[in-house]
Amino acid sequence: MGDPLTEYHSRLEEQEKQIKSLSAEIESLKNPQNLGATTRLDDLRDENTKLKYRLNILKRSLQEDLPVQDSKAMLNINQRLQQLFGGAIAASYPELENPPLAVTPSQQAKFADYQCNSAMSMSQMLKAKGAKVSPREIAEKIIKNLPENELVEKTEIAGPGFINVHLKRAFVSQLLSNLLVNGVQPPPLAKKKRVVVDFSSPNIAKEMHVGHLRSTIIGDSMCRLFEFLGYDVLRLNHVGDWGTQFGMLIAHLQDKFPNYLTVSPPISDLQAFYKESKKRFDNEEDFKKRAYQCVVRLQSKEADFIKAWNMICDVSRKEFQRVYDCLDIKLIERGESYYQDMMTKVVKEFEERGFVEMDEGRKIVFATGQSLPLTVVKSDGGYTYDTSDLAAIKNRLFDEKADIIIYVTDSGQGSHFQVVFAAAQMIGWYDPKVTRVEHAGFGVVLGEDKKKFKTRSGDTVRLMDLLEEGLKRSMDKLKDKERDKVLSPEELVKAQRAVAFGCIKYADLSHNRINDYVFSFDKMLDDRGNTAAYLLYAFTRIRSIARLANIDEAALRQAAQNTEVQLDHEKEWKLGKCILRFPEILTKITDDLLMHTLCDYLYELATTFTEFYDCCYCVEKDRQTGEVVKVNMWRMLLCEATASVMAKGFDILGLNPVSRM
């Protein structure tokens, strides 16, 4: 038996070829000039009917071969519409190679729910082939070939050839009921791929700073997204735990704590310890020589030096873990030291393939299409970052069997990774058409003065100081709102942490990662606009609606089973469609890795809910007594569906909402 996926694709391609061939044959039979003098008209009509029948059978077979929709999975409406319109376009114009498929949510909700805007581009393609067909004619033909389906109520042609698509309300209602019964489930996954994400990656013996904050937050959120979608995700922390700096650190450790092998040295401030050793390295020649000797002995893996190295690494790990605990980050550490034994083999492989050149004692590699080389061996025989990155990518491709590898570092390293990826392709480690290897770069964090984020004294901002400042400010904010008078001490601390760390994460993720962004506690703690503070408060309010109406979870679960979600009011319809766009938002992010799209969507969902809540009574109360006199349960279900999608969105972003705030 062959691979089912490969067989499926080949079958699909063969059917598409037959459809194109048969469609062309039908068009040919319509042209009287192609009829031979001896051909009988009845025979032609009979053949024409048979061809049309076979064409319809093949079209139906194609539809049946689309990925099976798991009854519990959320349907990606946009993707389903693309399948439908893609088939209609192929049937309408089989002669067009890769015709454009443009299906998007309508910008004008009063005119349509979705739009297919392919006709204009197709008209240009046909014109290039010598056929003059107006976009409107093309749109008419596409609609004619659109198969009967569960999703589309009606279509209309607007303007020069836009196809307006109206969804069936009953089907949208059913999708919302499925969501309420089954929970927020990921859309179907064609294949469970292995994803390796390299993020955070601080340096041992140095403090984590705001640059590491961005890599940590963005990388964690990407992992959460792929994990929710069902991928097999490996979260790697490529820490800087090897190199010449460890020589000076070990030499300084020997001087300051001579009994370090028997008594654990009380290093409380590793940053200060690093600065002391660096100062000695720069100013004391004897110390410098001894530091180099320590490097050699460490690289030779002498037991005492490995122990000293482990001690220094452990002190750093404890500091890193404080940050990771605050931000709820899970990582597997695989630093540069992990790849040391692999580097010799990597260099040898490049040499054997004839890719290594000598340059003033260095061994360098020029990758295809790149102007800058990689230095794989220094003139003193040591390895470099280039060597460890080549060893790392090979390990991830061959040992981890990654289908997707994502490096989350600042944009300044983009050119370096471009060369590393080119070298890996040149030597044949991976084919970019098969394996996705990508650098997800990000801009720098700026202060409110629009300059690089620093302390007043000009030092790099310590990440732990930043998080502690966030905790202080979030508590001040909660007390300003007098939440300390309503919440218990335990609830108040939970709310403090949710707001502080949620706001810091969201402020980063809500900006396009490619751009620089201004770090401002005042803006991120503002409960107006697209901020975590606003969304967390909005979420808490939505969750409280059922509680204030004395409706418990069991009653909501029961209602989800037997209450139809009505979508008659325009605000109900708008909210229902917005809720169901969640899968298409996630699918888009897997393509471009831009997490701010999810933030924008959650903000749109929250504001759309507010419009709905202001216009549509969920709970009706007696004006005199305040007692609940009527509960519109289908609207309560819309509240529940909104909260469920928001909760899953928060989870992907790494936010931790609390029930009371």
Side-chain angles (χ1 to χ4, degrees):
M1 287 287 289
D3 174 25
L5 201 62
T6 307
E7 289 176 11
Y8 161 74
H9 279 303
S10 62
R11 184 179 162 201
L12 214 55
E13 285 171 9
E14 185 58 36
Q15 288 173 345
E16 284 175 343
K17 282 178 189 171
Q18 287 187 51
I19 284 177
K20 287 184 179 181
S21 169
L22 291 168
S23 297
E25 208 171 327
I26 288 171
E27 291 301 318
S28 174
L29 288 169
K30 288 177 183 175
N31 188 346
Q33 291 178 350
N34 293 334
L35 307 185
T38 59
T39 309
R40 286 170 44 247
L41 188 58
D42 287 346
D43 288 345
L44 284 169
R45 283 180 175 154
D46 187 45
E47 182 65 17
N48 192 292
T49 304
K50 286 177 183 176
L51 283 168
K52 282 183 176 175
Y53 175 76
R54 284 166 61 201
L55 182 59
N56 286 328
I57 290 290
L58 281 165
K59 278 185 193 172
R60 199 154 53 241
S61 176
L62 255 178
Q63 289 300 323
E64 288 167 0
D65 265 344
L66 292 169
V68 177
Q69 175 72 27
D70 180 350
S71 60
K72 290 187 176 181
M74 284 187 77
L75 176 72
N76 183 332
I77 292 174
N78 194 313
Q79 204 169 61
R80 179 70 181 123
L81 288 172
Q82 286 187 36
Q83 290 167 353
L84 293 168
F85 277 93
I89 288 168
S92 302
Y93 294 95
E95 68 272 25
L96 287 183
E97 196 75 28
N98 298 320
L101 180 57
V103 179
T104 60
S106 174
Q107 297 300 309
Q108 298 283 337
K110 61 183 177 181
F111 296 128
D113 302 316
Y114 282 80
Q115 270 190 335
C116 176
N117 303 329
S118 300
M120 278 64 72
S121 302
M122 288 173 65
S123 177
Q124 293 300 314
M125 289 178 77
L126 287 164
K127 188 177 179 182
K129 286 178 168 283
K132 193 174 180 182
V133 190
S134 75
R136 202 171 178 88
E137 284 178 72
I138 293 169
E140 285 169 357
K141 199 167 184 181
I142 292 170
I143 289 172
K144 191 177 175 184
N145 281 296
L146 198 66
E148 282 293 316
N149 63 86
E150 76 289 5
L151 191 55
V152 178
E153 178 71 43
K154 65 174 181 175
T155 54
E156 300 163 337
I157 300 171
F162 301 111
I163 301 174
N164 285 338
V165 182
H166 298 264
L167 303 178
K168 290 179 181 175
R169 297 203 175 208
F171 187 70
V172 170
S173 173
Q174 185 57 53
L175 291 179
L176 289 165
S177 293
N178 293 349
L179 183 157
L180 288 157
V181 170
N182 301 315
V184 182
Q185 301 294 330
L189 193 64
K191 180 189 174 189
K192 186 170 184 173
K193 292 183 176 180
R194 175 80 157 159
V195 182
V196 174
V197 185
D198 177 329
F199 68 105
S200 193
S201 310
N203 291 310
I204 295 291
K206 291 184 180 179
E207 294 278 7
M208 287 180 77
H209 55 74
V210 286
H212 296 120
L213 177 69
R214 291 213 77 183
S215 176
T216 304
I217 290 171
I218 295 167
D220 175 62
S221 189
M222 286 179 185
C223 290
R224 287 170 179 267
L225 171 64
F226 281 107
E227 285 160 353
F228 171 65
L229 293 173
Y231 291 84
D232 177 18
V233 180
L234 178 62
R235 300 155 158 261
L236 290 185
N237 196 3
H238 190 83
V239 297
D241 66 350
W242 202 254
T244 53
Q245 76 271 27
F246 283 94
M248 67 183 193
L249 288 166
I250 293 170
H252 191 51
L253 181 72
Q254 290 170 335
D255 291 347
K256 197 164 183 178
F257 305 103
N259 60 345
Y260 73 92
L261 290 171
T262 52
V263 180
S264 184
I267 304 172
S268 57
D269 189 344
L270 197 55
Q271 182 80 352
F273 188 84
Y274 180 89
K275 286 179 179 177
E276 288 169 14
S277 65
K278 183 72 170 72
K279 188 176 179 182
R280 291 186 68 191
F281 185 83
D282 291 339
N283 299 320
E284 299 175 28
E285 198 58 39
D286 287 346
F287 180 81
K288 193 173 189 175
K289 286 177 183 173
R290 197 151 54 83
Y292 279 129
Q293 289 167 1
C294 288
V295 172
V296 173
R297 297 179 77 174
L298 174 64
Q299 290 176 341
S300 300
K301 298 190 177 174
E302 290 187 28
D304 290 356
F305 289 83
I306 290 291
K307 185 171 184 179
W309 171 72
N310 272 321
M311 284 177 174
I312 292 164
C313 289
D314 283 342
V315 175
S316 266
R317 284 188 192 109
K318 284 174 186 170
E319 284 301 305
F320 299 160
Q321 198 56 47
R322 286 179 67 203
V323 171
Y324 296 147
D325 287 345
C326 284
L327 299 174
D328 190 23
I329 307 293
K330 304 288 187 291
L331 277 157
I332 293 172
E333 184 186 305
R334 279 196 196 160
E336 291 164 15
S337 61
Y338 181 85
Y339 304 100
Q340 287 304 302
D341 295 340
M342 305 174 199
M343 293 189 204
T344 306
K345 292 177 184 174
V346 164
V347 173
K348 188 179 178 185
E349 187 175 346
F350 274 90
E351 285 178 326
E352 287 173 350
R353 294 286 300 278
F355 293 133
V356 174
E357 300 175 24
M358 296 302 297
D359 179 60
E360 297 181 350
R362 299 179 305 150
K363 290 183 179 179
I364 63 171
V365 171
F366 276 99
T368 307
Q370 302 298 316
S371 56
L372 293 173
L374 295 170
T375 300
V376 292
V377 182
K378 295 187 290 185
S379 55
D380 63 4
Y383 297 130
T384 67
Y385 289 125
D386 295 349
T387 332
S388 65
D389 279 338
L390 285 170
I393 196 171
K394 186 178 183 188
N395 170 260
R396 292 161 187 182
L397 289 164
F398 290 93
D399 298 335
E400 295 301 340
K401 296 180 171 51
D403 300 295
I404 301 169
I405 307 175
I406 301 165
Y407 293 80
V408 187
T409 73
D410 65 273
S411 296
Q413 296 186 51
S415 55
H416 162 72
F417 282 113
Q418 190 178 331
V419 182
V420 171
F421 301 162
Q425 288 172 49
M426 178 179 74
I427 203 166
W429 289 347
Y430 80 96
D431 178 353
K433 292 175 185 172
V434 177
T435 306
R436 178 182 175 187
V437 181
E438 192 167 339
H439 175 236
F442 54 80
V444 298
V445 183
L446 304 174
E448 294 192 67
D449 58 359
K450 304 289 174 69
K451 294 178 181 175
K452 230 175 176 181
F453 197 40
K454 301 274 187 183
T455 63
R456 286 182 182 176
S457 60
D459 293 331
T460 303
V461 178
R462 289 176 70 245
L463 202 39
M464 210 55 226
D465 291 347
L466 197 72
L467 297 177
E468 285 167 0
E469 174 72 9
L471 284 170
K472 177 184 174 299
R473 289 192 181 226
S474 69
M475 181 60 81
D476 292 344
K477 183 83 175 177
L478 289 164
K479 286 181 176 177
D480 285 347
K481 287 178 160 287
E482 299 188 337
R483 303 312 293 161
D484 54 324
K485 296 176 182 176
V486 179
L487 303 175
S488 70
E490 293 80 9
E491 287 175 329
L492 188 63
V493 169
K494 277 187 177 179
Q496 176 196 23
R497 292 178 70 84
V499 171
F501 303 141
C503 286
I504 288 170
K505 287 184 177 184
Y506 193 86
D508 194 320
L509 294 168
S510 62
H511 289 84
N512 186 324
R513 64 171 164 77
I514 296 164
N515 302 332
D516 299 343
Y517 95 97
V518 174
F519 190 99
S520 166
F521 274 122
D522 289 338
K523 284 182 182 174
M524 64 179 68
L525 289 166
D526 193 341
D527 51 17
R528 296 162 300 176
N530 189 5
T531 66
Y534 168 76
L535 288 174
L536 290 168
Y537 287 128
F539 176 79
T540 306
R541 282 197 303 274
I542 296 168
R543 279 284 190 228
S544 71
I545 294 167
R547 189 172 67 247
L548 294 172
N550 298 317
I551 300 170
D552 60 17
E553 284 186 26
L556 283 170
R557 279 198 300 273
Q558 183 64 37
Q561 297 278 359
N562 53 33
T563 304
E564 181 189 351
V565 180
Q566 296 175 37
L567 301 167
D568 299 329
H569 194 286
E570 63 169 323
K571 298 301 181 184
E572 293 171 339
W573 180 237
K574 184 178 179 183
L575 178 60
K577 289 186 296 177
C578 189
I579 291 167
L580 294 176
R581 276 190 26 238
F582 188 56
E584 68 189 67
I585 295 296
L586 300 187
T587 302
K588 180 182 182 299
I589 300 168
T590 59
D591 292 334
D592 60 26
L593 303 177
L594 296 172
M595 299 305 305
H596 73 276
T597 308
L598 177 55
C599 299
D600 291 345
Y601 166 75
L602 291 174
Y603 180 61
E604 181 190 345
L605 181 59
T607 53
T608 303
F609 177 85
T610 301
E611 289 178 24
F612 154 79
Y613 193 68
D614 288 346
C615 295
C616 304
Y617 289 117
C618 298
V619 180
E620 295 179 38
K621 295 183 179 180
D622 186 292
R623 292 187 178 181
Q624 303 297 322
T625 64
E627 287 183 20
V628 175
V629 293
K630 185 181 178 185
V631 174
N632 294 317
M633 190 55 84
W634 79 92
R635 288 177 177 164
M636 296 302 299
L637 291 176
L638 279 170
C639 296
E640 180 63 18
T642 303
S644 298
V645 168
M646 286 183 77
K648 181 50 68 179
F650 288 158
D651 186 52
I652 291 169
L653 296 173
L655 275 62
N656 183 26
V658 289
S659 57
R660 298 189 69 200
M661 190 175 287

